[in-house]
Amino acid sequence: MTALTLSTSSAATVRADAVVVGVAKGAKGVVVAPGAEAVDKAFGGKLAGVLETLGASGAEGEVTKLPAADGLKTPVVLAVGLGDAPAKGDGYAHEALRRAAGSAARALAGSKKAGFALPVEDAAAAGAVSEGALLGAYTFTAFRSNGAGNGKNGGKKNDDKSAPLAEVALLGGKPRDKEFKAATERAQALAAEINRARDLINTPSNALDPKSFAAEAQAAAKEFGLKVEVLDEKALKKGGYGGLLGVGQGSEAPPRLVRIAHTHPKADKTLALVGKGITYDSGGISLKPAGHNETMKCDMSGAAAVFAAVVAAARLGLEVNVTGWLALAENMPSGSATRPGDVLTMYSGKTVEVLNTDAEGRLVLADALTRASEESPDAIVDVATLTGAMVLALGHRHFGIMANDEAFRTSIHEIAEEVGEQSWPMPMPEHLRKGMDSPVADIANMGERMGGGLVAGLFLKEFIGEGIPWAHLDIAGPAFHEGSPWGYTPKGGTGSAVRTLVRLAERTAAGDLG
């Protein structure tokens, strides 16, 4: 991953391939943001005017490169837009700093080092810039013939133009200040785990099935001192995990249930995180239509987020127990696949009539949620690319939040907004539950088509232990980005929900579960 250093150099004296400065939209044109004073001085106080001449406006994410003026040690100045300038006395929003830093890091692919002179008035701002830069520099090269990857490509290096920015020097970062140091160290750990999730999501399904995903968890557990348990198909059959087995029985790659846990000796609270891990989703017998199969390697994004969040909790040494449950299966059509109309007996003992085999995520989650509930955690959060209906409702940048406790739902929403993940609280209308009544089983896995994302949440609620606060994050929209990169968001896997889960764990450790 891109290296990060705290530098005492000024924007004028840093020796790097480029220096990054922030600009914003002011009432009368482009405004140079704090941190860029030395660069502006080198331009005779006319940096804003030069940028306007080049067409810059200060709009969010806008990148303008120009040759450095005399007196600067870098050959290039990169000005990145921060959006509207804040009111006098206010600082720039942390999310604006994250996105600007991400845009700049992406624009500097192929560079060895860049000095970032964005506004860092306090440690939190420094953390936001660090986080954005490290996430924006991300690239997935493991399967490219010129990638720097994993031995599958002959070990050749990435060509210089597409290689990620090698080093970010955070100017004004106060390397001897404990708060600044802690904020940037947190950013590095968090970015590393978000990028771990992105790597897993981007890995093609022929290289990542339930067994190999479980092996990734086992390797991380060994590295970071986590407890891990893997239930294979034999253990799942013995335990009666009908949801996982029913979804996975059509594939030659059998399912797995992984329990991976961070424990702290001083912790008195436990969070259970449950992730949908469909390593490939064809829809099963209810086959997806043409055009909907190509990105279905991403249907394990929830499990990737949970896995990354548990490792991040360990790396940060959080005083809270965080248990991750990865419900892993491959949903394929074959002679042995579950058929529409079949009835599965779940781990909870409830029976489910499978009306649509493409509504498989809720089946594997149901088993994992029941198992997680048996340990009586203080709260459960599940994360899943669960429904296309949620994408229709909220688009590609927001995830939906449902819960059995309104205060907990509100807390999750506030946390997501705080860390820069767009989300929206969604209802769970009880009248939609009747649509899942089955004439042959306790419940069907489908209900009314309209409000399908809410129906899925109501289904999951049936498998939560009594009295346990629970929230469901449907990340179907933001988990996998098919458009052009923006801010720190790359094309492909995004690592959606990792930051929310980690901040929830931090708040819980501080005694503020919500």
Side-chain angles (χ1 to χ4, degrees), residues 497-508:
V498 175
R499 285 180 288 161
T500 297
L501 296 179
V502 172
R503 182 54 58 87
L504 174 63
E506 289 173 328
R507 279 200 182 185
T508 305

Side-chain angles (χ1 to χ4, degrees), residues 324-380:
W325 298 89
L326 315 181
L328 308 175
E330 187 175 72
N331 188 25
M332 295 291 284
S334 71
S336 61
T338 293
R339 295 150 294 222
D342 284 358
V343 174
L344 305 177
T345 301
M346 312 297 281
Y347 178 71
S348 68
K350 288 185 179 180
T351 56
V352 176
E353 182 184 12
V354 180
L355 297 181
N356 188 326
T357 64
D358 196 22
E360 85 299 329
R362 64 199 71 183
L363 298 175
V364 301
L365 286 173
D367 276 353
L369 288 168
T370 302
R371 179 65 186 86
S373 295
E374 289 182 340
E375 297 187 357
S376 300
D378 294 286
I380 298 175

Side-chain angles (χ1 to χ4, degrees), residues 118-469:
L118 294 174
V120 286
E121 61 185 2
D122 56 25
V129 171
S130 302
E131 196 177 301
L134 295 174
L135 294 176
Y138 171 83
T139 57
F140 182 67
T141 61
F143 291 85
R144 293 180 185 170
S145 59
N146 67 341
N150 49 14
K152 298 176 182 178
N153 47 31
K156 297 178 183 178
K157 291 185 178 180
N158 227 15
D159 66 79
D160 289 341
K161 292 183 179 180
S162 63
L165 172 63
E167 181 183 347
V168 170
L170 187 65
L171 308 183
K174 302 180 183 179
R176 295 180 182 178
D177 185 292
K178 290 183 180 180
E179 290 187 359
F180 273 78
K181 187 177 179 182
T184 52
E185 286 178 350
R186 178 190 183 277
Q188 289 178 86
L190 186 58
E193 292 313 312
I194 292 171
N195 288 340
R196 180 199 297 274
R198 290 171 169 182
D199 282 348
L200 287 167
I201 297 163
N202 289 327
T203 299
S205 300
N206 63 330
L208 187 74
D209 62 14
K211 182 178 179 180
S212 56
F213 196 140
E216 292 282 345
Q218 289 171 315
K222 184 176 182 180
E223 180 178 358
F224 295 103
L226 303 166
K227 296 179 181 178
V228 66
E229 178 186 5
V230 178
L231 300 185
D232 62 14
E233 64 272 30
K234 293 180 180 179
L236 292 172
K237 185 175 181 179
K238 183 178 179 180
Y241 292 85
L244 275 157
L245 290 168
V247 172
Q249 71 187 42
S251 173
E252 292 184 359
R256 296 285 188 271
L257 179 61
V258 177
R259 180 187 186 274
I260 184 167
H262 158 68
T263 58
H264 193 285
K266 295 183 180 180
D268 60 5
K269 295 287 185 181
T270 297
L271 281 176
L273 309 178
V274 179
K276 173 187 173 184
I278 304 299
T279 56
Y280 183 76
D281 182 18
S282 69
I285 297 296
S286 305
L287 195 66
K288 290 181 182 293
H292 290 73
N293 282 285
E294 291 76 7
T295 60
M296 282 299 103
K297 65 181 182 180
C298 78
D299 211 20
M300 36 58 69
S301 297
V306 165
F307 175 27
V310 174
V311 179
R315 292 178 70 146
L316 296 171
L318 301 184
E319 289 187 21
V320 58
N321 298 324
V322 184
T323 303
W325 298 89
L326 315 181
L328 308 175
E330 187 175 72
N331 188 25
M332 295 291 284
S334 71
S336 61
T338 293
R339 295 150 294 222
D342 284 358
V343 174
L344 305 177
T345 301
M346 312 297 281
Y347 178 71
S348 68
K350 288 185 179 180
T351 56
V352 176
E353 182 184 12
V354 180
L355 297 181
N356 188 326
T357 64
D358 196 22
E360 85 299 329
R362 64 199 71 183
L363 298 175
V364 301
L365 286 173
D367 276 353
L369 288 168
T370 302
R371 179 65 186 86
S373 295
E374 289 182 340
E375 297 187 357
S376 300
D378 294 286
I380 298 175
V381 179
D382 77 73
V383 187
T385 48
L386 204 60
T387 65
M390 195 59 62
V391 186
L392 291 173
L394 298 179
H396 290 285
R397 295 193 181 185
H398 286 73
F399 59 75
I401 308 172
M402 284 167 263
N404 62 0
D405 180 283
E406 188 172 345
F408 190 45
R409 183 186 67 180
T410 299
S411 181
I412 297 290
H413 181 222
E414 291 174 349
I415 287 169
E417 295 298 307
E418 176 190 343
V419 301
E421 295 200 298
Q422 294 167 282
S423 65
W424 197 250
M426 302 293 284
M428 289 201 299
E430 285 298 327
H431 71 270
L432 291 176
R433 169 61 182 85
K434 184 172 178 59
M436 290 185 284
D437 287 348
S438 166
V440 297
D442 296 326
I443 191 172
N445 77 328
M446 293 290 288
E448 293 183 31
R449 183 177 173 224
M450 300 303 172
L454 312 182
V455 169
L458 286 166
F459 179 91
L460 296 178
K461 183 182 176 183
E462 298 270 331
F463 298 88
I464 304 300
E466 187 175 354
I468 301 174

